[in-house]
């Protein structure tokens, strides 16, 4: 077991190096370093993959499996063997060459995406997306036993999830959201967010965000916060968690919430038990669980009424010259205003789900060849018209807005909406377990919630499957109702109507 | 040959990743990330080493050697095979385990050094130095055919150099410097550097330095400049060169020159021919050559009379409210003031060599066991008394001032003084080749010198040995006279006396 642990630790060390190279590429790297970085990431990915799928891993794993036997199924060791076996059986099906090409194409694709997005020209980016899709199909062909191509890709981000199940959950969600949004449209104008628009010096926004994430658990000794075109979080290793945000000098409602969102991811990475570090269990489990953490902190805490008691005076102090300058109720309404919009990461909680459904549909069509890459902007734009009633003015606000496909991440988007659903379940449960939760949050005391999450979710890392973990914490599988109930209660209060 | 090139490119890609991890550790990483970073660097070092010393490298190298035969000895291909053969024959003697342990000890050692230096407590750091020395001795034991242990270590930084040769050069240098410094001591007080002392806002110092390195050839698209405790430069890959500096708010003469120094290193990395990238020829050759570039830009350009015409008005403008606020002659004298001091990186050009001689002696004694680690501070302090007539008040200003031994770099220091000698040779030759060089520099036109260096030195990367390169460019081996002649001429002018 110890030999296996050491061997797997080396694999994790190389993963950490890749993670850092990726972080650097998106925050620090000079623009012309992209080509060399792509090569470095490709080689590092290939070498890591080769080390993991080596006969050595198989040999050590088999020996450890035999030594452990059926004893102690709930132990860390047993989980480690189960998870490693699952990863190894998957990884051994993928040739190193393909792994390296996907990494290289992802790196080059991100560079191309940054430029194409700047020029708002999808055609510049199309060849890179085509390449990523080709490689994704080659990847799919390495597997059997799945119902469809998309399931293979989805399984990498949400282990065990299947598109049939996601389709069902999303249908239920859509059937709740569409009438809800229609009903709110009748109250258009009842909620204004003018207090979020204006002139907000970026330095002050950064300082505000630093204060908020400090309440959440950001520690300067083991965290960093930087700027990035597309905000993300990275767990580099024990004692090294990095988050990013981006700042709009004329809108306050985006940068600080992106920072809280990424800090939610960061807390998950930071909270993994030390005994699981440098093992395959040492990071968050599925992306759905990961996203549940970020969305819970961003929306349920950050946009909740109690936290507005903390946030409003800080905004007032920084930007209006007085802590009383902004009414917490006005802030609460503003940050929860529902308005169909073009950009997913800036969408309100009610319409957010539809952004994900749109991408879930389009990427299924792309991977199955039912939609040509060249036709993507048109398909995107017409579906945005259909779902949101909005015209897409340019590709930067349309099919070029997200980095995921550029980075070869196909099958990733559903995890965002699943994360919202899981967050709804955890949020309801936290309120059952922590009687004074809202009072604590209103006083800026976020430690009780963080520690509850750490105990129930974070410390386990990838020890449990999503369904196992949810069963332990909330007593059942992913469900739509808690999220929708939460949303209706909040928006009903904000819009002063029964939903 | 193509297969070999691809294989070696992968090795270089991994080196680039290590280089980035090291850069990050010294600039960006949160303090508590050190332990995990040490593991990552150790594993990456081991994996890189294993890939390079693999049978695959031998097989591909032998095939390429046979295919090329004796043809075309001056070609890139022939150089590539020669250099790769030399590296491989050395590397195959070192077990991967030892390689990894040295990398880990170096990483952990640097973390310990930062803390010990902060507390100015050598005893905190002693166990880490002991460990680095043990591992260095183990490393030495992997080799035969060298006259002494120190030669093995020296050869890693200055390929082909031997301590006997260095001892001879350093004796000649010391015999020139000691009477020179004694003579200048009689003129103590003739030169003042009060214009460099005062209050200099760090933000403005950074801006000043950015302006200077921009003249040298720093390009924002492919370079970065950051702060670091111990300034360094890193060539991460094509289009990605990173330099660092540190800032003293009460002394202007250190940060900007550190920036020019590191930019000199960076220009060497940036100037390597594209056709040599991702090969073992794709970086600077010996550290002596590397240091010749940094010292040439820092001292011969940066502290030269012509460049003071560029620098003085910028300082005047930024800190004194007027471009005429500082007389270039006053600046010229101030930045060339000779005064024995404690800190190597802040030493003047005349005493600098003695700092290196001191370290050269002590590290020889340490590696040969003639000096115990615990006795190092005392030995250091008494030798500083002897050479400089100065008392060392604390370890931070003494044996803890440099990062090198913490990072396992033993045998590295001599290259600094060799760099000065080589810089003297190149500087003399550049003046022969470029008739209007001083006029260009006085006008802030540094491109002619940079292009001359790129053509003569940079573009060749590691294609030629130090002695081969010097023979091509200056017509002979490393020599002391040009540097000493340069120094006497400059200091004679500054001190108004004949030296």
């Amino acid at each position: 077991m110890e030999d296996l642990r050491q061997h797997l630790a080396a694999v994790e060390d190389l993963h950490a190096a890749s993670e850092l190279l990726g972080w650097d590429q998106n925050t620090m790297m000079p623009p012309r370093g992209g080509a060399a970085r792509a090569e470095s990431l490709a080689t590092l990915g290939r070498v890591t993959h080769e080390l993991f799928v080596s006969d050595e891993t198989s040999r050590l794993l088999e020996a450890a499996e035999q030594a452990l036997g059926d004893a102690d199924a709930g132990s860390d060791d047993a989980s480690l063997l189960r998870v490693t076996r699952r990863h190894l059986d998957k990884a051994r099906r993928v040739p190193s060459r393909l792994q390296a090409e996907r990494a290289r194409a992802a790196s080059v694709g991100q560079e191309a995406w940054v430029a194409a997005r700047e020029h708002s020209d999808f055609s510049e980016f199309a060849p890179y997306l085509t390449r990523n899709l080709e490689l994704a199909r080659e990847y799919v062909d390495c597997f059997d036993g799945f119902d469809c191509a998309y399931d293979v890709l989805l399984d990498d981000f949400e282990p065990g999830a299947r598109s049939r199940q996601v389709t069902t959950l999303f249908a239920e969600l859509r059937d709740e959201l569409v009438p809800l949004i229609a009903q709110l449209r009748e109250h258009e104008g009842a909620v204004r967010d003018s207090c979020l628009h204006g002139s907000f010096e970026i330095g002050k926004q950064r300082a505000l965000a630093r204060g908020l994430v400090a309440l959440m658990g950001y520690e300067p000794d083991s965290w960093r916060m930087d700027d990035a075109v597309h905000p993300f979080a990275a767990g580099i290793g024990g004692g090294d968690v990095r988050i990013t945000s981006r700042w709009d000098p004329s809108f306050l409602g985006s940068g600080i919430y992106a920072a809280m969102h990424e800090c939610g991811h960061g807390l998950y990475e930071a909270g993994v038990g030390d005994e699981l570090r440098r093992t395959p269990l040492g990071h968050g489990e599925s992306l759905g669980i990961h996203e549940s953490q970020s969305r819970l902190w961003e929306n349920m805490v950050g946009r909740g009424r109690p936290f507005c008691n903390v946030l409003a005076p800080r905004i007032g102090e920084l930007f209006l010259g007085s802590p009383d300058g902004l009414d917490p109720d006005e802030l609460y309404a503003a940050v929860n205003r529902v308005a169909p919009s073009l950009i997913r990461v800036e969408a309100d909680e009610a319409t957010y789900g539809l952004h994900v459904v749109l991408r879930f549909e389009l990427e299924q069509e792309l991977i199955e060849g039912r939609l040509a890459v060249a036709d993507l902007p048109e398909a995107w734009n017409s579906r945005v018209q259909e779902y949101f009633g909005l015209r897409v003015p340019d590709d930067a606000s349309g099919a070029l807005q997200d980095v995921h496909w550029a980075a070869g991440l196909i099958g990733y988007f559903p995890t965002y909406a699943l994360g919202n659903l899981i967050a709804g379940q955890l949020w309801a449960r936290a309120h059952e377990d922590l009687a004074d939760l809202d009072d604590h949050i209103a006083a800026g005391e976020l430690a009780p919630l963080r520690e509850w999450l750490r105990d129930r979710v974070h410390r386990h890392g990838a020890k449990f499957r999503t369904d196992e973990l949810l069963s332990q914490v909330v007593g059942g599988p992913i469900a739509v109702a808690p999220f929708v109930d939460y949303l209706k209660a909040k928006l009903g209060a904000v819009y002063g109507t029964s939903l």
Side-chain angles (χ1 to χ4, degrees), chain A:
Chain A
M1 181 60 81
E2 191 44 40
D3 288 351
L4 176 68
R5 280 185 175 275
Q6 278 198 17
H7 182 71
L8 294 174
V11 175
E12 293 302 314
D13 290 341
L14 298 180
H15 277 305
S18 287
E19 192 78 13
L20 183 78
L21 264 62
W23 172 83
D24 181 83
Q25 180 173 28
N26 287 297
T27 54
M28 297 292 160
M29 189 186 75
R32 284 179 49 206
R37 179 59 48 86
E39 300 291 356
S40 257
L41 277 167
T43 298
L44 197 49
R46 176 172 65 79
V47 167
T48 310
H49 182 72
E50 281 172 1
L51 186 63
F52 182 60
V53 301
S54 64
D55 294 339
E56 179 79 351
T57 313
S58 289
R59 195 180 61 70
L60 293 169
L61 180 58
E62 273 161 36
E65 284 167 339
Q66 280 174 15
L68 192 73
D70 297 331
D72 214 4
S75 68
D76 287 357
D77 280 352
S79 282
L80 178 64
L81 298 188
R82 274 197 306 273
V83 170
T84 305
R85 169 59 63 197
R86 201 169 73 214
H87 289 178
L88 185 62
D89 288 349
K90 281 193 79 165
R92 285 185 72 115
R93 289 171 171 264
V94 184
S96 293
R97 176 204 53 76
L98 178 57
Q99 195 76 7
E101 281 184 40
R102 288 191 83 195
R104 182 181 295 113
S107 185
V108 172
Q110 285 177 78
E111 292 300 308
W113 170 76
V114 169
R117 188 171 184 263
E118 217 175 286
H119 309 147
S120 195
D121 181 359
F122 180 83
S123 67
E124 262 185 42
F125 170 62
Y128 299 90
L129 177 54
T130 302
R131 180 67 183 145
N132 280 344
L133 286 165
E134 277 169 13
L135 292 169
R137 280 188 211 103
E138 265 191 67
Y139 179 79
V140 166
D141 288 342
C142 300
F143 296 89
D144 47 41
F146 286 89
D147 288 349
C148 61
Y150 191 81
D151 275 1
V152 178
L153 302 172
L154 180 61
D155 191 76
D156 282 350
F157 306 110
E158 200 60 35
R162 294 295 173 263
S163 36
R164 202 185 327 186
Q165 168 206 11
V166 174
T167 303
T168 306
L169 285 167
F170 281 11
E172 187 184 342
L173 179 64
R174 193 185 52 224
D175 292 349
E176 291 279 3
L177 290 182
V178 168
L180 178 71
I181 292 166
Q183 198 181 343
L184 290 174
R185 206 166 279 157
E186 292 168 18
H187 297 266
E188 222 171 46
V191 168
R192 298 174 48 113
D193 67 351
S194 53
C195 65
L196 302 175
H197 294 273
S199 176
F200 303 95
E201 198 189 299
I202 286 177
K204 288 187 180 179
Q205 287 196 50
R206 277 202 201 94
L208 175 59
R210 281 192 186 278
L212 302 180
V213 297
L215 294 176
M216 291 171 64
Y218 175 108
E219 294 172 14
D221 266 8
S222 48
W223 293 63
R224 282 190 63 90
M225 185 165 87
D226 298 279
D227 297 350
V229 173
H230 187 94
F232 66 100
I236 309 292
D240 191 349
V241 177
R242 306 190 181 194
I243 59 175
T244 58
S245 191
R246 66 175 171 202
W247 312 101
D248 180 343
S250 62
F251 182 60
L252 189 58
S254 121
I256 57 171
Y257 284 111
M260 289 188 75
H261 178 102
E262 301 307 336
C263 186
H265 284 303
L267 287 171
Y268 193 5
E269 292 292 318
V272 171
D274 283 339
E275 70 284 2
L276 305 182
R277 298 269 176 215
R278 295 180 77 220
T279 80
L281 308 180
H283 290 276
E285 168 55 15
S286 73
L287 291 186
I289 302 275
H290 234 304
E291 194 67 10
S292 77
Q293 300 307 297
S294 55
R295 302 292 284 182
L296 186 150
W297 285 103
E298 177 193 355
N299 287 329
M300 293 166 188
V301 176
R303 289 190 168 90
R305 181 61 188 79
F307 195 68
C308 287
N309 281 1
V310 178
L311 188 50
R314 291 179 182 228
I315 293 174
E317 179 100 47
L318 265 171
F319 295 107
L320 304 164
S322 155
D324 302 324
L326 178 59
D327 177 11
D329 282 320
E330 187 188 348
L331 176 65
Y332 179 51
V335 297
N336 288 295
R337 180 168 172 265
V338 173
S341 73
L342 294 171
I343 306 293
R344 175 184 60 85
V345 296
E346 290 165 8
D348 60 76
E349 281 181 273
T351 54
Y352 188 90
L354 293 180
H355 285 276
V356 173
V357 170
L358 176 149
R359 286 156 180 77
F360 175 62
E361 291 170 355
L362 290 175
E363 66 184 6
Q364 281 181 305
E365 293 171 26
L366 283 167
I367 199 70
E368 288 164 10
R370 288 185 283 129
L371 175 63
V373 166
D375 298 334
L376 176 64
E378 204 185 308
W380 183 290
N381 297 352
S382 72
R383 213 151 318 190
V384 167
Q385 183 73 51
E386 182 185 339
Y387 289 177
F388 301 97
L390 295 174
R391 200 186 65 79
V392 178
D394 52 35
D395 293 338
S397 319
L400 281 179
Q401 71 183 262
D402 292 310
V403 71
H404 304 64
W405 294 339
L409 302 172
I410 297 153
Y412 186 116
F413 280 118
T415 66
Y416 288 132
L418 297 176
N420 277 337
L421 302 184
I422 297 168
Q425 297 172 277
L426 293 173
W427 186 241
R429 185 70 201 196
H431 275 87
E432 289 168 31
D433 286 2
L434 303 169
D436 303 327
L437 179 55
D438 284 348
D439 294 340
H440 280 298
I441 293 176
E445 295 157 11
L446 305 183
L449 177 61
R450 178 182 70 243
E451 294 308 315
W452 184 87
L453 288 167
R454 192 194 302 256
D455 180 64
R456 301 298 197 281
V457 179
H458 302 173
R459 69 185 171 93
H460 301 304
K463 203 175 153 184
F464 304 113
R465 295 287 288 259
T466 300
D467 47 0
E468 292 168 355
L469 188 74
L470 283 181
S471 159
Q472 288 172 32
V473 184
V474 304
I478 302 185
V480 170
F483 174 70
V484 170
D485 292 346
Y486 147 82
L487 202 60
K488 285 181 178 173
K490 183 201 254 190
L491 295 176
V494 165
Y495 278 85
T497 182
S498 165
L499 295 167

